Amino acid sequence: MTSTENLFLPLTSLAPGRWTTIAGPEWRNPGGGLWGGYAIGLCIRVLEAEPEATGEVLSLTLTYIAPLPAGELDVRTRRLRQGGSIGVWEVELRAAGSEQVGVHGMVTLARRPVTPDFAFATMPETPAPETLPSPQMFGDGQHFGASAFDRRTLEGFPPQPGSSSRSLAWVRPRQGPLDKALLGMITDNSAPRVFYALGPTVMTTTLSLTAYMHATIEEIAEVGDDFILVECEGRVGGGGASDERSSYWRRDGKLLATSEQLAWYRPVTRNAPE
């Protein structure tokens, strides 16, 4: 049995492909289950610790199957394929002692070659984060990773029903420098886009989230403990499903990551008082 020490995501190896960790109550959603961003960070962190894994996380798709409770978690990893540069891994997160998969991840790892860079996307022009107040995170300030991240809102917060779903915010880790696992967590750090259409009286949960890690480990490390800009918008919702897409920018305009998310929603029916 071996352990990897990490401020937010400690892991203990039990056997090949088997790990355990403790998810503290600070990672819970108000509804009780673990915040989806925690699962993203944990999937990245376990493959960074996995001795058989080669390269760094390039992309991952998580399917949120069932709520995970805070407490001890069982983490299982399995390599599906390893080529010369690209490897594909499967990660499963379960409550300890349960056979019910809570979160299923498909993760692509890669050895990143040196190639010419290009970019068509440009970072929005915004005020510096130091000029903005530090408001509470959406909902309870102890949930949604608020204990791990400082968020400075530019526009689109708090969510209000209207004609636009766009929001901008500067986000930085509260303790320690940004790394790939923490960047992964930030990809689930924005309010659900359905609130921008229908207001807060809606129940919503993430079905699946795909994050693309465009930046290398070294490029992310250059951020240190500085802010990154989160640009988020939704495009459509109907039949209980709504989408979201986001971009994550370094202060100098480098696009670090993008994400796509599909959420499930339904109106909340409230009984009138008698």
Side-chain angles (χ1 to χ4, degrees):
M1 181 183 296
T2 59
S3 297
T4 61
E5 292 299 326
N6 181 268
L7 182 63
F8 299 120
L9 301 166
L11 285 162
T12 299
S13 175
L14 303 177
R18 294 293 299 272
W19 305 77
T20 187
T21 190
I22 302 293
E26 67 273 15
W27 298 116
R28 290 185 303 192
N29 284 330
L34 290 177
W35 169 50
Y38 172 85
I40 299 169
L42 184 58
C43 286
I44 294 173
R45 187 71 80 211
V46 73
L47 290 178
E48 290 176 340
E50 173 59 61
E52 299 298 319
T54 300
E56 60 183 87
V57 172
L58 183 62
S59 70
L60 68 163
T61 298
L62 270 62
T63 302
Y64 295 86
I65 301 167
L68 286 173
E72 186 176 358
L73 300 179
D74 176 24
V75 184
R76 305 185 186 186
T77 59
R78 184 165 69 102
R79 184 174 62 192
L80 302 181
R81 182 183 185 276
Q82 181 62 56
S85 297
I86 303 294
V88 180
W89 285 74
E90 184 178 45
V91 181
E92 293 180 350
L93 309 181
R94 311 164 187 244
S98 174
E99 288 304 308
Q100 169 66 59
V101 177
V103 177
H104 176 269
M106 294 293 294
V107 187
T108 300
L109 287 82
R111 296 187 182 96
R112 304 295 295 270
V114 177
T115 57
D117 292 344
F118 65 92
F120 298 110
T122 56
M123 179 178 171
E125 293 186 7
T126 65
E130 292 81 7
T131 67
L132 303 169
S134 180
Q136 282 284 340
M137 193 64 170
F138 178 75
D140 188 326
Q142 297 305 308
H143 296 294
F144 300 117
S147 62
F149 300 104
D150 178 13
R151 184 181 179 92
R152 309 286 177 92
T153 299
L154 285 150
E155 66 175 68
F157 191 88
Q160 299 291 336
S163 60
S164 174
S165 68
R166 186 172 185 256
S167 64
L168 290 169
W170 290 101
V171 179
R172 69 175 173 184
R174 291 188 183 275
Q175 301 181 48
L178 188 71
D179 61 15
K180 193 157 278 198
L182 290 172
L183 177 58
M185 286 183 166
I186 294 173
T187 64
D188 193 33
N189 196 241
S190 298
R193 297 299 103 173
V194 66
F195 291 166
Y196 292 81
L198 304 179
T201 59
V202 176
M203 293 291 292
T204 181
T205 185
T206 300
L207 294 178
S208 65
L209 187 150
T210 297
Y212 302 103
M213 301 295 183
H214 305 297
T216 64
I217 290 174
E218 293 77 16
E219 289 168 334
I220 295 171
E222 291 176 9
V223 175
D225 60 0
D226 196 8
F227 286 92
I228 64 171
L229 182 67
V230 179
E231 179 186 16
C232 185
E233 66 176 349
R235 290 163 293 192
V236 68
S242 65
D243 83 319
E244 174 186 310
R245 63 179 177 184
S246 301
S247 300
Y248 307 87
W249 305 89
R250 203 167 63 186
R251 197 191 287 246
D252 64 1
K254 169 73 176 178
L255 183 61
L256 301 175
T258 54
S259 67
E260 290 274 351
Q261 183 173 159
L262 184 69
W264 187 251
Y265 71 91
R266 61 180 176 84
V268 177
T269 302
R270 301 188 186 278
N271 295 325
E274 297 181 0

